[in-house]
Amino acid sequence: MLKLVDLTKVYRTEEVETTALNQVNIHIKQGEFVAIMGPSGCGKSSLLNIVGMLDNPSSGQYWFGDEDVAGYGERKLADIRKKNIGFIFQSFNLIDELTVFENVELALLYHDIPSRERKERVKEALAKVSIAHRSSHLPQQLSGGQQQRVAIARAVVSRPRMLLADEPTGNLDSANGEEVMNMLTDLNGEGTTIVMVTHSMPHAQYARRIINLFDGQVVAENLRAA
Amino acid sequence: MKMLGNFLRVAVRILVRDRMYTVLNVAGLAIGIAAASMLGLYVWHETHYDGFFSKADRIYRVDKTEFMPGREPVTYSSTPKPLAPLLPQDFPEIETSVRVHDEPVVVARDGSPFREHMQVVDPDFFRLFDLPFIAGDPATALAAPGTVVLTESLARKYFNGVDVLGRSLTLTNGISLTVSGVIRDLPTNTHLRRDAMLTNIRTRLGENVDGWFARMDTVWNSNFLQTYILVKPGTDPVALTARFPAFLSARDPNYLSTGTNKPSKALVLTGLTHIHTDPTGVPANLLGVLHGLEAVAAVVLGIAVVNFVNLSTSRSSLRVREVAVRKALGAPRSMLVGQFMVESVLLTLVAAVLAYVLLEVAMPASVAALGIRFDRAYLYSPWLLLAELLGVVAVGGVAGLYPALVLSRPTASVLLRGGPTAAGGAGVRALLVVAQFSAAILLAIATIVIFQQTRYVSSQQLGFNADGVLLLRELHQPEARAHIESFRQALLRIPGVAQAGAAFHAPSDGSDSTDNYHVPGTLDDGTIVFRSEYIGHDYLQAMGVRLLAGRLFDRAATADALRPPGSTVGEGGVTVRASDPPGRTAVLSWRAAQRLGFHTAEEAVGRQVIYDVDYPLTIIGVVDDVQFNSARVALQPTAFLLDESGLDVMAVRLTPAADAATLAAIDRLWRDSFPTIPVNREFLDDHVRDAYAAELRQGTLLAGFTGLAILIACLGLFGLAAFTAQRRTKEIGLRKVLGAGVPDIMRLLVWQFSKPVMVANLIAWPLAWLGLSHWLQGYAYRIALNPLVFALAGLAALLIAWVTVAGHAARVAAAKPVDALRYE
Ligand SMILES: Nc1ncnc2c1ncn2[C@@H]1O[C@H](COP(=O)(O)OP(=O)(O)O)[C@@H](O)[C@H]1O
Ligand SMILES: [Mg+2]
């Protein structure tokens, strides 16, 4: 599904130059569930952002299917992203001014889907994460766990082939965290490729493969026995 | 004091950090203040004419209102010559009176004649108008005839200096005047002629004037000079005016009291300081225009202030976190309010200084460009500085107060969570943007309509072809009077001249001679009033007036023949009055023919019409209606009468092939024919347009300030767009993560700013429609308001708004979403 070849990301600010990713090579197959671990600042988010086409690498190749998208501009990336990738963030990133329903619907607004079908799919997605009864609430009126469920519904409603999750359980208590991990496992079971960054070893255990990063480099890969 | 220093340091740091915001905010406000000050100064200048004379509050001009049956009363500033000396005699409260008569004279310098204005005045002139003398004594300078008082400029023009007492100024007719005084050039804000010389009323200026002028001493029905009075302190002008009718019936032998359905008159007083803003005999409403300009100034300033408040408050809402931290650290509310105020006033102060610089640069330039009178000294008036300073405190205070109060109220914990303020201000800001654009669109529509109307009135309804007609004036001068026909013949021989014909007046000269007419056998109730235009044989032909039926005046036709000047025996031996037309025929305008009851032009030809009471004229032709006035007044029915005794202006129609050489040949012919009379020529279309100079000027002024208003509104919109882009960065990033493409985001942002502009249209349209319909009522000939103009102005505003915000929108839309998500 995707292949990173000698991928490097360097951030330049006025005074310092930070190499967040250094010659990373990773291959992820269709339908995999990959967890990325590592200490704070080792480059996990940078990696996920590039994989999610929210940012460009400084050098190296990023093969998505049979295209090297490393040098693509925002317009082209937006197009590929829209069709293939869903996101879940640690801080949920719901829009405060929109209701639960509207937040989820937002993910379909840019997909050219007739409004009736759109509404159906939003309802379906909300039901799937058991939050349908709160569909007209605003995000602040929900607990963290509920908000993350909305975020998951939003990420999957457009039926992406790949789901990227940056510390999805980081802000949740263990019960809620567990629930989110179960949902991700279910989605992976339905065929969605999942790449997840996490600090929690137990949660990483839901994945089939764990990639360890240190100082921008892949230091270990562990396959969990099936 | 220590706190203020801290505030200032922080303020300067923040202003420097948010450079773009600072520049936008300061520039918008500075332009607004400069524009409003400019209009304000102009209005102030216009409304403070003649106030500098020390006795201004005791000086009045005596004006005369004429009541003619069948017409609206008209007030003129011209009065008869015998009036003034009698006023102090009959009214003890009148200290003295002064007559001012403007007589054109010609002065030679280096062999070329120059036309100058000689103000022929009573000796007390300087007692009323205490103009500062550079040389001479104001009490005696005009005491005796044969002396002249010059302005500084005129002294330099003719003598290259101001130390010229006792020198003599010689007119081209040989008359010599002794310089008895030199005064400073008059300031711009006086209604008195600024370029005139002054001489005693008994000075002899040449045989063509003197005899007539002396005869006028006892003539009450010839009104041609201005009469000013100086009243004793405490005199009530209303009570004084009330005693004028009794005075007139005692003194004026022709006087008939009002209300008799016969021509009558009344004397009225115009206070010296009101003469400029309240002109007599002109339908133009200067005060109305000035109030309009005041409103425009207020709107422009209002837009700028709204901008300032909008940008300030929006920026401050990005500082929620800073305020929260300060609060958490224990800053009292008053200190936070103080901090915002200091920042705001500092910014306003910078804007005011910039505005002042702008004003110094732009005002003289625009004054020159518009050809308006303005005194530069006004720019340095302490009042202006004081007003600007007050404005700084007021605007800065208001703009600072709002964010200060809103942000300093909630507790730190509320603010740290993002605060309730963020969403609240947006509604107010949208409303203010709506208000700004409503005003800008309103001004834009008004500008377009005023230009349309001005073009319409200056090009339509003339009834003659003004293109390619040259006017040569001053043929009534004694040197020229007898040679008009030979001069005309010579003109026709110049290649490029197609036609030439003379008349008493040209269109738009402001002449206003009317008489009663009626058809024989009908009741002469004095209600049919036509304009009487006295013209020479070839005038209508030269003007290109369209003939509808019959013929024009014709040298070959005996009926048009004139009785000799001065003769009181008409055709067939009947006795006629000196005031009767010398001919027996008339050409009527179509409107006049209709007014007499004829249904077609042909029907009128050959019929008779009675001039005044009993002087019959034969209608020989009917022509198209001709606009001899400005289009502010309706086309008057007109009778063209043949009279070759008072021709003054020659209309010369040029062929399309005429060029500079033609004009040079005409000038040469004039100089050869009349060497003592300066060439005075202009194109008719320019002359007609001059009649609308005021409107054109207003239009230009309005266009300029509309442009400024739109510019300022856009500066604000630009700032707001930048702010919104920044505020919504996270949301936009999320939308992109969720699949929104660049065009989607563009649409989102552009739409956000289109909505207020569209609402502004809905507000501006009806207001503009009402206001402009009202304005157009003032014109007898007016355009219909075109909805397309409204739509166009609205669309233009929308487009400008789009262009303004598109840059930000594009930048945000094209940014990598990761940048947006990191922004927290
Ligand atoms: N936009 C950026 N500009 C500059 N430096 C950055 C930027 N994003 C991340 N970094 C730096 O890159 C390194 C990796 O960051 P990140 O990928 O966020 O790590 P992690 O998610 O593993 O904590 C860090 O040292 C961080 O400071
Ligand atoms: Mg991270």
Side-chain angles (χ1 to χ4, degrees):
Chain A
M1 159 137 231
L2 70 86
K3 203 165 134 190
L4 309 178
V5 183
D6 292 342
L7 197 87
T8 297
K9 178 70 188 180
V10 179
Y11 293 108
R12 281 186 191 86
T13 58
E14 273 139 49
E15 304 99 45
V16 284
E17 216 179 81
T18 314
T19 306
L21 295 172
N22 191 1
Q23 307 268 341
V24 171
N25 289 283
I26 295 177
H27 187 178
I28 295 174
K29 291 200 219 45
Q30 176 77 44
E32 264 198 291
F33 188 157
V34 178
I36 297 173
M37 297 193 75
S40 229
C42 71
K44 305 181 297 290
S45 294
S46 303
L47 180 66
L48 212 61
N49 285 338
I50 291 170
V51 169
M53 301 181 201
L54 300 178
D55 201 358
N56 294 97
S58 308
S59 68
Q61 298 163 6
Y62 173 8
W63 292 92
F64 190 83
D66 49 8
E67 281 179 278
D68 180 6
V69 301
Y72 278 20
E74 169 56 20
R75 272 165 202 274
K76 267 178 154 171
L77 290 178
D79 202 47
I80 305 175
R81 196 164 63 217
K82 172 163 106 174
K83 289 182 191 131
N84 297 289
I85 306 173
F87 291 89
I88 301 169
F89 304 96
Q90 177 180 3
S91 54
F92 323 134
N93 274 336
L94 300 176
I95 293 176
D96 291 342
E97 289 81 13
L98 300 181
T99 64
V100 164
F101 189 94
E102 289 163 344
N103 261 290
V104 175
E105 191 184 22
L106 199 61
L108 294 178
L109 278 184
Y110 306 106
H111 279 82
D112 224 359
I113 295 168
S115 94
R116 178 186 297 241
E117 189 193 336
R118 208 164 60 213
K119 307 261 185 245
E120 281 307 313
R121 280 172 65 171
V122 173
K123 274 189 211 152
E124 205 179 293
L126 285 173
K128 208 161 162 183
V129 296
S130 318
I131 200 83
H133 58 295
R134 292 288 166 92
S135 64
S136 58
H137 284 62
L138 290 173
Q140 291 107 312
Q141 297 166 321
L142 304 181
S143 73
Q146 288 170 321
Q147 288 193 37
Q148 194 59 302
R149 268 143 63 190
V150 175
I152 293 173
R154 188 180 61 183
V156 301
V157 71
S158 60
R159 295 175 188 158
R161 291 166 61 204
M162 177 164 74
L163 201 56
L164 303 182
D166 195 344
E167 302 189 37
T169 57
N171 282 2
L172 301 178
D173 58 41
S174 56
N176 276 312
E178 213 71 358
E179 200 176 335
V180 166
M181 288 317 300
N182 284 328
M183 283 179 186
L184 292 181
T185 311
D186 287 351
L187 285 166
N188 181 243
E190 289 163 20
T192 311
T193 310
I194 294 178
V195 181
M196 173 183 73
V197 167
T198 184
H199 277 302
S200 147
M201 201 54 205
H203 289 166
Q205 292 304 322
Y206 284 81
R208 287 279 298 279
R209 180 155 61 119
I210 299 172
I211 297 174
N212 278 298
L213 280 186
F214 189 81
D215 253 0
Q217 286 178 307
V218 178
V219 290
E221 283 200 48
N222 301 292
L223 270 183
R224 184 169 60 88
Chain B
M1 206 60 230
K2 197 185 88 208
M3 224 47 239
L4 190 69
N6 179 25
F7 286 169
L8 277 174
R9 207 163 39 239
V10 173
V12 167
R13 240 176 247 164
I14 286 175
L15 295 180
V16 169
R17 189 190 66 198
D18 295 342
R19 263 164 254 122
M20 189 195 69
Y21 150 76
T22 307
V23 167
L24 282 180
N25 219 352
V26 168
L29 191 58
I31 297 174
I33 294 176
S37 309
M38 230 156 110
L39 281 180
L41 279 177
Y42 175 61
V43 171
W44 203 76
H45 178 269
E46 290 296 299
T47 47
H48 286 76
Y49 261 52
D50 296 312
F52 59 88
F53 290 117
S54 60
K55 296 175 193 133
D57 57 331
R58 292 196 285 133
I59 301 172
Y60 294 89
R61 190 178 63 196
V62 184
D63 293 331
K64 164 188 54 82
T65 305
E66 275 186 0
F67 301 93
M68 302 287 273
R71 292 188 54 176
E72 288 288 303
V74 190
T75 301
Y76 296 99
S77 65
S78 49
T79 41
K81 199 176 172 192
L83 171 67
L86 296 175
L87 286 169
Q89 283 179 33
D90 289 19
F91 297 95
E93 63 266 54
I94 299 179
E95 270 186 38
T96 185
S97 63
V98 165
R99 289 166 291 186
V100 176
H101 166 62
D102 185 68
E103 185 65 36
V105 295
V106 182
V107 185
R109 191 192 73 177
D110 307 330
S112 335
F114 284 94
R115 163 84 50 225
E116 298 292 354
H117 288 271
M118 184 67 79
Q119 305 282 83
V120 176
V121 302
D122 280 310
D124 273 345
F125 182 84
F126 289 116
R127 224 177 117 192
L128 271 69
F129 304 108
D130 46 352
L131 295 161
F133 269 63
I134 297 175
D137 176 7
T140 57
L142 292 170
T147 59
V148 63
V149 173
L150 301 177
T151 62
E152 197 179 339
S153 302
L154 283 168
R156 289 189 200 287
K157 178 173 176 185
Y158 289 106
F159 300 107
N160 293 317
V162 294
D163 194 15
V164 296
L165 285 188
R167 301 273 292 270
S168 44
L169 185 81
T170 309
L171 309 185
T172 47
N173 60 8
I175 291 197
S176 178
L177 303 169
T178 309
V179 177
S180 60
V182 178
I183 53 172
R184 285 238 167 74
D185 282 346
L186 277 67
T188 51
N189 54 344
T190 175
H191 83 288
L192 297 175
R193 275 205 85 99
R194 301 180 57 235
D195 54 354
M197 312 175 163
L198 293 148
T199 191
N200 182 288
I201 196 157
R202 282 172 296 127
T203 299
R204 303 185 71 78
L205 289 173
E207 56 204 86
N208 60 322
V209 201
D210 299 337
W212 162 80
F213 199 57
R215 255 196 331 277
M216 288 299 121
D217 277 335
T218 53
V219 176
W220 277 87
N221 58 5
S222 189
N223 304 285
F224 63 96
L225 47 67
Q226 275 69 54
T227 302
Y228 298 89
I229 55 170
L230 175 67
V231 299
K232 297 212 169 103
T235 303
D236 175 15
V238 179
L240 183 57
T241 310
R243 288 158 63 202
F244 284 147
F247 163 81
L248 281 178
S249 47
R251 296 293 200 170
D252 179 351
N254 310 40
Y255 179 72
L256 287 170
S257 63
T258 52
T260 54
N261 207 28
K262 286 271 172 6
S264 179
K265 65 180 171 188
L267 296 179
V268 291
L269 294 179
T270 303
L272 180 64
T273 51
H274 292 108
I275 289 177
H276 179 67
T277 45
D278 190 14
T280 52
V282 199
N285 176 8
L286 182 61
L287 264 187
V289 169
L290 292 177
H291 288 321
L293 286 180
E294 270 169 356
V296 171
V299 167
V300 173
L301 189 61
I303 290 179
V305 170
V306 164
N307 250 0
F308 189 81
V309 174
N310 247 356
L311 287 175
S312 300
T313 56
S314 64
R315 290 309 288 198
S316 65
S317 74
L318 289 177
R319 287 167 64 184
V320 170
R321 188 157 298 171
E322 178 205 329
V323 173
V325 171
R326 277 177 189 273
K327 276 205 150 177
L329 293 177
R333 188 172 178 198
S334 62
M335 214 147 90
L336 289 169
V337 172
Q339 189 192 339
F340 277 103
M341 299 285 265
V342 164
E343 279 180 37
S344 174
V345 170
L346 188 72
L347 212 56
T348 326
L349 200 67
V350 175
V353 171
L354 198 66
Y356 200 73
V357 174
L358 270 176
L359 188 64
E360 300 280 309
V361 176
M363 185 90 191
S366 9
V367 164
L370 289 169
I372 51 181
R373 278 190 184 190
F374 183 75
D375 201 332
R376 262 200 80 118
Y378 276 40
L379 289 178
Y380 310 105
S381 132
W383 293 109
L384 176 65
L385 288 175
L386 195 69
E388 300 231 324
L389 216 62
L390 281 177
V392 166
V393 174
V395 174
V398 168
L401 203 61
Y402 176 77
L405 292 181
V406 169
L407 279 183
S408 61
R409 192 174 333 109
T411 59
S413 66
V414 171
L415 288 169
L416 280 171
R417 267 190 279 118
T421 52
V428 178
R429 276 194 294 279
L431 217 77
L432 289 175
V433 170
V434 168
Q436 285 183 310
F437 271 84
S438 302
I441 294 168
L442 194 81
L443 282 181
I445 295 173
T447 306
I448 301 173
V449 169
I450 287 177
F451 268 113
Q452 280 184 323
Q453 170 69 10
T454 308
R455 218 191 40 212
Y456 176 78
V457 296
S458 56
S459 65
Q460 302 283 309
Q461 303 286 347
L462 289 175
F464 53 86
N465 181 1
D467 290 338
V469 174
L470 201 62
L471 300 176
L472 299 172
R473 295 179 187 272
E474 312 216 1
L475 291 168
H476 193 50
Q477 296 291 328
E479 304 94 306
R481 227 176 271 169
H483 313 288
I484 294 178
E485 182 53 24
S486 61
F487 176 66
R488 195 182 80 84
Q489 293 296 341
L491 273 175
L492 292 175
R493 283 194 293 274
I494 295 176
V497 173
Q499 258 289 2
F504 281 36
H505 304 284
S508 300
D509 273 0
S511 70
D512 186 39
S513 150
T514 54
D515 296 288
N516 285 105
Y517 290 81
H518 69 280
V519 173
T522 63
L523 174 70
D524 173 22
D525 56 1
T527 55
I528 303 183
V529 178
F530 295 165
R531 194 181 171 86
S532 303
E533 280 294 333
Y534 293 93
I535 62 173
H537 266 108
D538 316 282
Y539 179 69
L540 291 175
Q541 290 88 331
M543 291 291 284
V545 174
R546 196 158 68 96
L547 182 66
L548 299 180
R551 63 175 177 85
L552 299 178
F553 295 119
D554 185 348
R555 275 171 222 282
T558 51
D560 302 346
L562 303 165
R563 77 187 132 83
S567 139
T568 52
V569 181
E571 216 174 308
V574 285
T575 311
V576 294
R577 291 174 299 261
S579 62
D580 285 336
R584 304 244 54 144
T585 56
V587 172
L588 296 187
S589 74
W590 168 227
R591 202 163 282 228
Q594 279 175 308
R595 184 74 185 81
L596 291 176
F598 300 113
H599 300 290
T600 65
E602 287 75 17
E603 191 188 330
V605 174
R607 304 284 288 274
Q608 294 245 303
V609 60
I610 309 291
Y611 167 92
D612 199 5
V613 188
D614 52 8
Y615 191 82
L617 298 165
T618 304
I619 303 168
I620 57 166
V622 176
V623 295
D624 233 355
D625 284 312
V626 172
Q627 180 57 279
F628 271 78
N629 255 319
S630 90
R632 283 188 214 93
V633 292
L635 278 176
Q636 282 170 292
T638 304
F640 294 95
L641 306 170
L642 195 61
D643 185 350
E644 308 223 283
S645 67
L647 300 177
D648 184 63
V649 51
M650 180 76 74
V652 184
R653 176 163 297 283
L654 305 175
T655 64
D659 53 14
T662 315
L663 297 183
I666 292 172
D667 286 354
R668 214 175 312 117
L669 174 65
W670 182 281
R671 279 195 293 268
D672 292 345
S673 315
F674 316 117
T676 54
I677 309 175
V679 181
N680 181 345
R681 71 160 156 83
E682 66 183 325
F683 279 100
L684 178 58
D685 50 356
D686 290 341
H687 176 61
V688 170
R689 217 172 300 126
D690 277 352
Y692 304 101
E695 273 98 339
L696 269 178
R697 204 147 51 210
Q698 291 156 24
T700 314
L701 259 175
L702 201 61
F705 284 96
T706 303
L708 282 181
I710 293 173
L711 175 76
I712 298 171
C714 282
L715 282 181
L717 199 62
F718 187 77
L720 276 187
F723 161 73
T724 302
Q726 191 172 343
R727 237 201 116 75
R728 293 180 73 177
T729 309
K730 183 182 156 198
E731 176 211 329
I732 289 165
L734 263 176
R735 285 177 186 272
K736 294 176 78 171
V737 166
L738 295 173
V742 174
D744 296 313
I745 301 297
M746 287 281 289
R747 219 174 296 133
L748 184 78
L749 285 178
V750 166
W751 175 240
Q752 188 197 348
F753 287 99
S754 303
K755 267 186 299 184
V757 177
M758 275 149 76
V759 174
N761 269 317
L762 296 184
I763 294 173
W765 284 345
L767 289 179
W769 191 278
L770 286 176
L772 288 168
S773 307
H774 180 75
W775 179 73
L776 286 171
Q777 292 300 319
Y779 288 84
Y781 294 96
R782 49 181 180 257
I783 55 167
L785 283 174
N786 185 351
L788 208 66
V789 168
F790 288 62
L792 223 65
L795 201 67
L798 205 56
L799 276 176
I800 291 174
W802 282 346
V803 170
T804 308
V805 300
H808 288 301
R811 220 187 47 226
V812 172
K816 284 182 284 193
V818 66
D819 299 332
L821 291 176
R822 272 186 58 89
Y823 195 93
E824 266 178 79

